[in-house]
Amino acid sequence: AQSVTQLDSHVSVSEGTPVLLRCNYSSSYSPSLFWYVQHPNKGLQLLLKYTSAATLVKGINGFEAEFKKSETSFHLTKPSAHMSDAAEYFCVVTGSNQGGKLIFGQGTELSVKP
Amino acid sequence: KAGVTQTPRYLIKTRGQQVTLSCSPISGHRSVSWYQQTPGQGLQFLFEYFSETQRNKGNFPGRFSGRQFSNSRSEMNVSTLELGDSALYLCASSLFPGQGVYEQYFGPGTRLTVT
């Protein structure tokens, strides 16, 4: 069965410093992986997705993630945090037998200090 | 192009009542999925519809049901509401269903409070 584990429930960084949000996945199939962001009282916005093409995936707003099969990881990074990045981030997996069903991690809340 | 719309945005109901939530997908999208978001359980998959057929169902009791219309709009219904049904219900649409190939775009959600 497919699952994702987000290793930090809360991450705090200063504006202008790098962001690292960690995600490990488990999948018995070749997975598709995503990162979504949710700002307060808003729906979910897709940041980026991996679907077995390039292992380094670039997304919106300067975010990127690297798929590492040997480590079963899909960590999200950004070189320089902005105040507007403060939100909750979800790592998501779907598998080849799951149809369109998305399996969400528990989320990582990112705080950005001025 | 307009995004996914959900109505109503906020709803307050009493235990034992039933509720219907509506979702209009992005124009041209034919697949609609529903998710429940709570602080304790996080985001959980409810069901997925394509061409008016339920293709996939999550692990929820039969009180939760849904349907999709020929114009791809979808509704979900919760009968005999319980306090634990208080949640943000999110709808997502994609062009087709399909193992992550097609991105899912989420609406703003309906915040249901059961008292």
Side-chain angles (χ1 to χ4, degrees), chain A residues 26-105:
Chain A
S26 172
S27 177
S28 51
Y29 298 87
S30 183
S32 295
L33 292 157
F34 309 82
W35 278 97
Y36 279 85
V37 61
Q38 186 175 36
H39 288 92
N41 300 314
K42 295 285 179 67
L44 293 156
Q45 181 183 21
L46 179 66
L47 280 177
L48 49 82
K49 73 171 187 178
Y50 165 80
T51 53
S52 76
T55 57
L56 183 62
V57 182
K58 293 189 184 299
I60 62 171
N61 300 335
F63 286 95
E64 62 182 39
E66 187 171 8
F67 175 74
K68 291 186 176 180
K69 186 175 181 180
S70 61
E71 299 176 11
T72 62
S73 69
F74 189 58
H75 301 335
L76 182 71
T77 60
K78 182 174 181 177
S80 176
H82 295 158
M83 295 297 293
S84 59
D85 294 329
E88 187 141 25
Y89 292 79
F90 294 93
C91 182
V92 181
V93 67
T94 189
S96 62
N97 70 337
Q98 297 290 327
K101 173 182 176 180
L102 299 179
I103 299 167
F104 285 79

